[in-house]
Amino acid sequence: MQASARNRFAGTISAVREGAINSEIELTTPGGDVIVAVVTQTSAQRLGLAVGKEAIALIKAPWVMVLTDEGGIKLSARNRMAGTVSRLIKGAVNSDVVIALPGGSAVHAVVTNDAVAELGLKEGVAATALFKASHVILGVSA
Amino acid sequence: MQASARNRFAGTISAVREGAINSEIELTTPGGDVIVAVVTQTSAQRLGLAVGKEAIALIKAPWVMVLTDEGGIKLSARNRMAGTVSRLIKGAVNSDVVIALPGGSAVHAVVTNDAVAELGLKEGVAATALFKASHVILGVSA
Amino acid sequence: MQASARNRFAGTISAVREGAINSEIELTTPGGDVIVAVVTQTSAQRLGLAVGKEAIALIKAPWVMVLTDEGGIKLSARNRMAGTVSRLIKGAVNSDVVIALPGGSAVHAVVTNDAVAELGLKEGVAATALFKASHVILGVSA
């Protein structure tokens, strides 16, 4: 598969919770990270999502928020990955921020330049990527 | 209506499934394309969404993922539209990719330049636009 | 907390509706604006979201759509804020649009330049920011 999504994580489905419209799926990566996705129940059935099945999680870079300090706040977003900024490409409006994770992978986020300035984002700075479960697309072998 | 969303599709509601919090709505375009949206049940009621009603679907360009090869992977995203790249405007970080569809309409996606390079996106290349049901905003006549 | 999200609104939770997978939360700001968020029920429990609790809503700028004329259309997106464009920074592909709200706060949206041209967005123009409940991240004091 060739997809534009900058973030792709492979793992094994470790939990499935079904609702009337949406299902919540947990994917555990080989490194032990847990990614939570909310997909429609129709998709969950069509893809045969079940505990033990291998799957990938795709997340577009603009769907990722960057935090440098959680300072006493708990956020509702289910997915977070902490690392260090390893690359920053600045455009006129947005910047592409890459956060290297301890396990060797990386997360891409597209944030506004205002945010880059306000958070002092640059190579070497500790940062956390945050994204909602409803922003994750899951894939399985056809 | 004047809205910034680059993608707008008109059609007739062909299915409604209600849950406790969210409702899943299917819109069928005159060309036979089916667009699936997840909106809150409160919105579905406020808009009077029901089978047979005319509606529009709005999708912002950054919510659209681009695929050039699905290579043996099934993805959870409910909406996909296959066509040919007809325009590509490149910024410092992002590119605006327009995919012309067989029926004469087009889909806009904003993807990172890294994705453009990796997928070899350029005019004339076959590409598929993919977006989640939860990223679709529906509209009806007031 | 230091977060990249350009939009942050503080308020008090005024309603909670629980579903099997998702919960719908209403936040009322001191100025009387109501922001609706859909988060997973697991998040709602983990954060202890309940009526009367103080919370913040975070929304990334690319998740915000801009309208200049609602012209007889009702849209499903639960959140809308009307104001006046107070700043516009144009890149090669996207523009960062700031809409000043009557109460003194502002909403940021990232939209394509095509949209800026089509809607005639510039300083002083009346505009409405629109975003889906499923695109709001909630936060509470830890």
Side-chain angles (χ1 to χ4, degrees):
Chain A
M1 189 187 52
Q2 289 284 319
S4 64
R6 288 303 84 196
N7 299 299
R8 180 187 306 203
F9 299 97
T12 304
I13 294 172
S14 46
V16 173
R17 283 180 61 205
E18 290 189 10
I21 298 294
N22 289 307
S23 292
E24 182 180 298
I25 315 289
E26 268 186 27
L27 189 75
T28 301
T29 68
D33 285 321
V34 175
I35 293 170
V36 182
V38 169
V39 302
T40 59
Q41 210 230 357
T42 306
S43 282
Q45 287 183 341
R46 185 171 53 87
L47 270 58
L49 301 179
V51 172
K53 187 160 187 164
E54 293 191 358
I56 56 167
L58 298 175
I59 308 104
K60 281 193 65 148
W63 305 342
V64 179
M65 189 175 290
V66 177
L67 300 173
T68 49
D69 170 22
E70 297 191 46
I73 299 278
K74 282 192 293 189
L75 293 171
S76 64
R78 296 292 296 280
N79 298 292
R80 66 185 53 223
M81 293 171 162
T84 305
V85 176
S86 59
R87 199 188 75 171
L88 197 146
I89 297 177
K90 214 165 179 170
V93 168
N94 289 309
S95 293
D96 184 359
V97 181
V98 182
I99 299 173
L101 303 175
S105 57
V107 189
H108 291 244
V110 169
V111 302
T112 60
N113 292 345
D114 283 356
V116 168
E118 196 179 298
L119 273 64
L121 295 178
K122 58 183 179 186
E123 285 186 28
V125 166
T128 297
L130 196 82
F131 50 96
K132 287 193 75 149
S134 57
H135 283 172
V136 178
I137 292 177
L138 293 178
V140 297
S141 291
Chain B
M1 189 188 52
Q2 288 284 320
S4 64
R6 287 303 84 197
N7 299 299
R8 180 188 307 203
F9 299 97
T12 305
I13 294 173
S14 46
V16 173
R17 284 179 60 205
E18 290 189 9
I21 298 295
N22 289 307
S23 292
E24 182 179 299
I25 315 290
E26 268 186 26
L27 190 75
T28 300
T29 69
D33 284 321
V34 175
I35 293 171
V36 182
V38 170
V39 302
T40 59
Q41 209 231 359
T42 306
S43 282
Q45 288 183 341
R46 185 170 53 85
L47 270 59
L49 301 179
V51 172
K53 187 161 188 165
E54 292 191 0
I56 55 166
L58 298 175
I59 307 105
K60 283 193 65 149
W63 303 344
V64 179
M65 189 175 290
V66 177
L67 299 175
T68 49
D69 170 23
E70 298 191 46
I73 298 279
K74 280 192 294 189
L75 293 171
S76 64
R78 296 291 295 280
N79 298 293
R80 66 183 54 223
M81 292 171 163
T84 306
V85 175
S86 59
R87 199 188 76 171
L88 197 146
I89 297 177
K90 214 166 180 169
V93 168
N94 288 309
S95 293
D96 184 358
V97 181
V98 182
I99 299 173
L101 303 175
S105 58
V107 190
H108 290 244
V110 168
V111 303
T112 60
N113 292 344
D114 283 356
V116 169
E118 197 180 298
L119 272 64
L121 295 177
K122 57 182 179 187
E123 286 186 27
V125 166
T128 298
L130 196 81
F131 50 94
K132 287 193 75 148
S134 57
H135 284 171
V136 178
I137 292 177
L138 293 178
V140 296
S141 292
Chain C
M1 188 188 52
Q2 288 283 320
S4 63
R6 288 303 84 197
N7 299 300
R8 180 187 307 204
F9 299 96
T12 304
I13 294 173
S14 46
V16 172
R17 284 179 60 205
E18 289 189 9
I21 298 294
N22 289 307
S23 293
E24 183 180 297
I25 315 290
E26 268 186 26
L27 189 75
T28 301
T29 68
D33 285 322
V34 175
I35 293 171
V36 182
V38 169
V39 303
T40 60
Q41 209 232 358
T42 306
S43 282
Q45 288 183 341
R46 184 170 54 86
L47 270 59
L49 301 180
V51 173
K53 188 162 187 163
E54 293 191 359
I56 55 167
L58 298 176
I59 308 105
K60 282 193 65 151
W63 304 342
V64 178
M65 190 175 289
V66 177
L67 301 174
T68 49
D69 170 24
E70 299 192 45
I73 298 278
K74 281 191 294 189
L75 293 171
S76 64
R78 297 291 295 280
N79 298 293
R80 66 183 56 221
M81 291 171 163
T84 306
V85 175
S86 60
R87 199 187 75 170
L88 197 146
I89 297 177
K90 214 167 180 170
V93 168
N94 289 309
S95 292
D96 185 358
V97 181
V98 182
I99 299 172
L101 303 176
S105 58
V107 190
H108 291 245
V110 169
V111 303
T112 60
N113 291 345
D114 282 356
V116 169
E118 197 179 299
L119 273 63
L121 295 177
K122 59 183 179 187
E123 286 186 28
V125 166
T128 297
L130 195 83
F131 50 95
K132 287 193 75 148
S134 57
H135 283 172
V136 178
I137 292 177
L138 293 177
V140 296
S141 292

